[in-house]
Amino acid sequence: MHRRRRTALAATAAALAAAPLLTACGSEARPGAAAVVGGDRIEVSALQAQVRQVRDAQQSSPESAQLIRATGDLSREKLNGMIFDRVVDRVAAGQGVTASRKEIQDTRKSAAAQSGGEEQLAAMLLEQQGVAPEEIDTVVRRNVLMGKIAEKAGAGNDPAGQQKLTGLFTAASKDMGIDVNPRYGTWDDAKIQLGEYRAPWLRQVTARQPAQPEQA
């Protein structure tokens, strides 16, 4: 991934994490759904399928016990990513940006090369972000879109650029009327995440860049 896009991605995450707390007040999601986003249901069965993929991959790792302990709240983690991806899609559509199959493949190849190969990339994503091998393209697509959104919006590291970027995501989130099943918490439109949940990619960027916060 190009340095400029990595910088834009860090700025995106930083902007989202720096937004003030605003408690969402949605009604209970419809029965059988983990969440309803923009009128579309995220079925509990779809969420559970993602959780199983990650657990299966973790069980195959020599460090399975450690990986499982580190992702104890995996259902919320995966739901957070599933909702966030839909918000990213809405913002991308509004900004007129897309991620082609070639861009996803090229970005994945670049990430794999930097990680030492596909196996190393998969192991890193599983360990750091709880991403199963089947989900890697989804995470890469998210990163491509977020980088393009930040670039299109002219969001740099300055507070004004970050505020503008946060505004795009917050507005999209509110417009989608995100309604989460209470068992998983509530969606925070300002932070673009489930309640106080902090996604792994936000934790990592925060650790690398003090006073700031990539999936999934």
Side-chain angles (χ1 to χ4, degrees), residues 50-174:
Q50 284 206 10
V51 171
R52 281 195 300 271
Q53 286 180 335
V54 175
R55 292 299 187 214
D56 288 346
Q58 290 174 333
Q59 291 286 359
S60 300
S61 169
E63 295 143 357
S64 59
Q66 179 181 346
L67 293 176
I68 291 171
R69 280 197 304 271
T71 52
D73 202 7
L74 188 56
S75 291
R76 292 185 72 224
E77 182 173 323
K78 303 316 292 183
L79 181 58
N80 189 87
M82 294 170 83
I83 297 173
F84 185 70
D85 281 340
R86 286 159 174 77
V87 178
V88 171
D89 284 344
R90 175 66 67 93
V91 176
Q95 294 297 301
V97 300
T98 59
S100 70
R101 183 62 187 165
K102 185 177 187 304
E103 287 174 315
I104 294 171
Q105 291 175 335
D106 289 347
T107 302
R108 178 168 177 168
K109 286 179 182 177
S110 177
Q114 293 177 29
S115 302
E118 275 285 340
E119 288 187 13
Q120 289 81 359
L121 175 64
M124 180 191 71
L125 289 174
L126 180 63
E127 177 184 353
Q128 296 182 2
Q129 299 187 29
V131 174
E134 298 90 341
E135 301 170 337
I136 293 178
D137 278 355
T138 298
V139 172
V140 172
R141 178 179 180 275
R142 176 197 300 156
N143 288 350
V144 171
L145 287 175
M146 288 178 66
K148 286 188 173 185
I149 290 167
E151 186 173 354
K152 181 73 176 288
N157 291 319
D158 60 290
Q162 294 178 12
Q163 185 175 12
K164 178 181 179 181
L165 195 60
T166 300
L168 290 174
F169 279 84
T170 296
S173 181
K174 288 181 178 179

